[in-house]
Amino acid sequence: MSKKVSLNVKCTHCGTSLMDYKNLLHEKPSILLDVVNVNGDKGKLRLCSTYGCYDKQSDVELPEGTRVGVLCPHCGKKLNTDVPCRTCNGNEAYMIKFNIEIGGVVSICDRVGCTNHYVMFEDLTDTLRKFHREYGV
């Protein structure tokens, strides 16, 4: 059985941690974000921090198949990028990017319900060493 990895992420703009240690999802800290839905309603979004988990909690409606705007709750800057989602292809969905605290980047699609996500490491050797030390995998 493989070990589930909970990624600690931070804002790509201000570098502040996005981890919410008071509100857990699956016994792990959630990722706290500000969100704007298709109707322009603003609220809070908590994502599961376990890689491969798609669970979320929001205080605004996030209809399946719609895109969301995601902002850092600390600096207020938009985390959506102009990198198209390869899974959604021509549906004009784009990736949201977070920095991983130990190094690297994790990206997720901004379309509610899309499961496209990936992790990238810039200095693979050093980051994998830190990843192994941190998570033991």
Side-chain angles (χ1 to χ4, degrees), residues 15-104:
T16 304
S17 176
L18 298 172
M19 305 311 294
D20 184 351
Y21 293 93
K22 293 180 182 175
N23 294 284
L24 307 180
L25 282 174
H26 303 291
E27 300 175 3
K28 301 285 185 185
S30 60
I31 300 170
L32 177 62
L33 305 161
D34 287 339
V35 66
V36 180
N37 70 11
V38 67
N39 299 323
D41 300 325
K42 297 176 183 177
K44 297 292 182 189
L45 171 65
R46 287 180 175 83
L47 302 175
C48 180
S49 63
T50 302
Y51 189 75
C53 176
Y54 307 105
D55 294 343
K56 63 188 172 305
Q57 296 175 344
S58 180
D59 58 4
V60 295
E61 186 178 354
L62 302 176
E64 198 77 12
T66 62
R67 293 183 55 217
V68 294
V70 175
L71 303 106
C72 173
H74 306 287
C75 70
K77 292 190 178 174
K78 195 171 182 181
L79 298 172
N80 301 67
T81 68
D82 59 356
V83 176
C85 173
R86 291 183 184 171
T87 301
C88 291
N89 286 332
N91 291 328
E92 295 185 19
Y94 298 90
M95 302 306 284
I96 299 166
K97 189 166 84 169
F98 310 105
N99 288 338
I100 302 171
E101 288 183 358
I102 62 166

